[in-house]
Amino acid sequence: MKEAKKVVFINPEYKEFVINRYIPCELRDYVNQKSIIIPNGVNDFWLKNKAKKYGWNNKKQINLIYVGDFSKNKNITTSINVAKKLKKLGYTIHFSIIGSLGVEEYRIKQLARKNKDIIKIFPRFEDKKNLLGMYRKSDIFIMPSFHETFGLVYLEAMSQGLPVIYSKGQGIDGYFKDGKVGYSVNPRSIDGIVEKIEMIITNFDKISENCYNSVEKFSWDEVGKMYQKIYI
């Protein structure tokens, strides 16, 4: 880092983490001054097929969605417990879990069978159009991973007007003010996640609109321009 002209971080939280954890105090300002944040870009398919959400009239019925693998890191068990807690609070819950592979796959499928009234598992979709349809049937995207370098699925969901639940200090945290496109959460706090989902419900229309409008800055064209500036 001392020799580099620029240091690129994928999100603001990782920049702060690395500089404060691994850089000696006397070099932090030096490294910080030449550090920049450049995100990953989202596939053009999602930007070309952006959609706004309209007419969510019955907010006691919530359609949650998760897309990814079944690793422990993705924390799907907590998301299932969140869905169960919402049900106890009187909400009608439909939680679509889309994916495959990972050490938690068998256990997650067992949990889904025990809670088949609220949970349905779908295999990974090879055709993006099928996944697009699932996003459009959903209301809120939930993925409180323990560790997440970026998480392109958050952007996919946002392109369809879905507010997102993401972990504090991980993934897209730091790109948006809390509450703008969803909320950062403690991935170990079921009650905390439930509270943030209810906050999304209260202000859904505004947050959904923000998601739709904010995702364009993650196009590869915009990301490419950021990298281009480094070399000009």
Side-chain angles (χ1 to χ4, degrees):
M1 289 185 181
K2 285 173 64 177
E3 297 299 322
K5 290 184 178 179
K6 292 288 183 183
V7 180
V8 179
F9 290 94
I10 202 168
N11 66 36
E13 295 294 331
Y14 274 29
K15 171 177 171 283
E16 295 302 315
F17 175 79
V18 170
I19 290 177
N20 292 329
R21 178 87 176 257
Y22 296 108
I23 306 301
C25 292
E26 65 274 15
L27 292 175
R28 285 177 185 170
D29 285 343
Y30 174 66
V31 173
N32 189 56
Q33 288 172 12
K34 59 181 179 178
S35 295
I36 56 176
I37 311 297
I38 301 181
N40 281 336
V42 66
N43 190 296
D44 282 347
F45 172 85
W46 300 104
L47 300 179
K48 290 176 181 177
N49 292 281
K50 285 173 60 182
K52 294 184 178 181
K53 282 197 68 68
Y54 295 105
W56 189 21
N57 298 318
N58 182 11
K59 294 187 178 180
K60 292 299 287 184
Q61 178 172 312
I62 308 171
N63 298 308
L64 299 173
I65 188 171
Y66 163 82
V67 179
D69 61 43
F70 292 167
S71 66
K72 289 183 179 180
N73 179 56
K74 298 298 184 179
N75 200 20
I76 302 172
T77 300
T78 292
S79 295
I80 289 174
N81 288 331
V82 166
K84 290 165 65 176
K85 179 69 179 287
L86 287 165
K87 179 186 174 183
K88 286 183 180 178
L89 292 174
Y91 293 95
T92 299
I93 300 297
H94 299 289
F95 184 14
S96 297
I97 299 175
I98 302 172
S100 61
L101 305 178
V103 296
E104 292 279 274
E105 183 171 2
Y106 178 75
R107 194 163 72 88
I108 296 303
K109 288 182 176 179
Q110 277 190 317
L111 286 171
R113 282 192 290 271
K114 291 178 182 177
N115 298 276
K116 59 184 179 181
D117 59 323
I118 62 174
I119 299 168
K120 188 170 183 180
I121 292 183
F122 298 85
R124 188 182 300 274
F125 294 122
E126 298 300 327
D127 189 337
K128 289 185 178 65
K129 291 180 181 178
N130 292 332
L131 182 55
L132 179 75
M134 292 299 296
Y135 280 131
R136 290 182 178 178
K137 292 177 183 177
S138 305
D139 304 311
I140 297 171
F141 179 86
I142 179 169
M143 191 172 79
S145 304
F146 293 118
H147 302 286
E148 196 70 53
T149 52
F150 191 71
L152 285 171
V153 283
Y154 297 118
L155 303 183
E156 292 176 6
M158 285 169 53
S159 76
Q160 304 308 304
L162 270 63
V164 292
I165 293 291
Y166 51 95
S167 295
K168 187 171 182 61
Q170 304 294 324
I172 62 171
D173 190 26
Y175 277 106
F176 306 100
K177 183 180 178 181
D178 214 29
K180 182 173 182 179
V181 300
Y183 286 95
S184 62
V185 297
N186 176 349
R188 301 183 187 277
S189 174
I190 295 168
D191 289 342
I193 297 172
V194 168
E195 179 184 358
K196 294 300 174 64
I197 287 176
E198 292 192 306
M199 290 170 69
I200 287 174
I201 294 169
T202 301
N203 197 28
F204 181 85
D205 292 342
K206 180 61 177 177
I207 296 174
S208 177
E209 181 78 13
N210 289 341
C211 290
Y212 178 87
N213 292 331
S214 299
V215 74
E216 288 286 348
K217 70 178 183 179
F218 296 97
S219 72
W220 274 114
D221 282 344
E222 292 301 315
V223 172
K225 290 174 184 176
M226 295 180 198
Y227 276 107
Q228 190 177 38
K229 287 180 181 179
I230 296 175
Y231 296 97
I232 294 177

